[in-house]
Amino acid sequence: MVAEMNVRELSISKNDRTSMPASANSKLLTLPTILTLGRVAAVPLLVATFYMDGWRGTVVTTSIFTVAAVTDWLDGYIARKLKMKSTFGAFLDPVADKLMVSATLVLLCTRPLEVAVFGQLPWLLIIPSITIIGREITMSALREWAASQGSKLLEAVAVNNLGKWKTATQMAALIILLATRDCGHGGPAILVGSGVVLLYISAGLALWSFVVYMKEIWKVLRR
């Protein structure tokens, strides 16, 4: 998933689209696209297993999300390495990321953390979750608008290093929180705390990168 909820951010300029080989654009189901579709199909499974009682549910849910995060990186790598890029895949990839990350954030917010020190703070995960999801919705709208305005604005909202760091910390945080959500008192508190801290770092990076994008857009509009 590289998972800005993605989640990795992806935008393709008009020049990129025209430079793609015709064969790449004409193929609807390439290997990277199939991997991306697999992430979309995994969202209902993630929801179903999240509410399974016992450690098995926790293991299965965490495994589903971890595999999704790996395939998020893998489909992009394969598409670049084997020159299997497609416009459909470019559209679907960020959608799959946002679905998986948003669903996971919402699920985590429905259950308070089991560790005592965090259990009395029901808003602890809600704040960064709203920040991340709200930012993703806003960026999707911005990119859609930028695509209709020309390549200059698309370049302004292209993926930057802040977005990549946001996605990395976000994925790490969610894997930790999913893996430790049913842990009790004691040792796991350190792991849960690290997951919460990483989620807040991810939310901070999300806001920071959003500000950077807006500054770039403003520069283009002022020219």
Side-chain angles (χ1 to χ4, degrees), residues 18-78:
T18 55
S19 64
M20 284 184 182
S23 59
N25 282 319
S26 63
K27 290 182 180 179
L28 188 63
L29 289 180
T30 61
L31 178 57
T33 303
I34 291 172
L35 290 174
T36 304
L37 286 170
R39 293 207 305 279
V40 175
V43 173
L45 293 176
L46 182 84
V47 175
T49 58
F50 183 84
Y51 291 104
M52 289 172 57
D53 293 327
W55 64 269
R56 288 183 180 85
T58 299
V59 170
V60 174
T61 305
T62 306
S63 298
I64 290 172
F65 186 87
T66 303
V67 170
V70 172
T71 58
D72 178 37
W73 167 82
L74 186 61
D75 60 11
Y77 175 80
I78 293 174

Side-chain angles (χ1 to χ4, degrees), residues 122-144:
W123 48 264
L124 195 63
L125 297 183
I126 295 176
I127 291 176
S129 297
I130 291 176
T131 301
I132 292 170
I133 294 174
R135 186 264 189 196
E136 294 298 333
I137 294 173
T138 305
M139 281 306 304
S140 294
L142 272 176
R143 287 201 169 99
E144 186 67 25

Side-chain angles (χ1 to χ4, degrees), residues 57-173:
T58 299
V59 170
V60 174
T61 305
T62 306
S63 298
I64 290 172
F65 186 87
T66 303
V67 170
V70 172
T71 58
D72 178 37
W73 167 82
L74 186 61
D75 60 11
Y77 175 80
I78 293 174
R80 292 188 299 270
K81 195 74 173 177
L82 302 181
K83 298 181 180 180
M84 301 177 73
K85 295 180 180 179
S86 69
T87 52
F88 179 64
F91 155 76
L92 189 62
D93 184 70
V95 172
D97 297 345
K98 288 172 176 56
L99 282 174
M100 181 63 72
V101 171
S102 298
T104 303
L105 288 170
V106 171
L107 288 171
L108 288 170
C109 288
T110 63
R111 280 191 174 184
L113 295 170
E114 294 293 332
V115 179
V117 68
F118 300 119
Q120 302 303 315
L121 305 172
W123 48 264
L124 195 63
L125 297 183
I126 295 176
I127 291 176
S129 297
I130 291 176
T131 301
I132 292 170
I133 294 174
R135 186 264 189 196
E136 294 298 333
I137 294 173
T138 305
M139 281 306 304
S140 294
L142 272 176
R143 287 201 169 99
E144 186 67 25
W145 170 73
S148 67
Q149 301 299 311
S151 59
K152 294 277 187 175
L153 280 174
L154 268 177
E155 291 174 6
V157 294
V159 180
N160 59 26
N161 287 331
L162 280 176
K164 294 176 181 178
W165 278 106
K166 179 207 74 74
T167 299
T169 55
Q170 177 178 276
M171 295 303 175

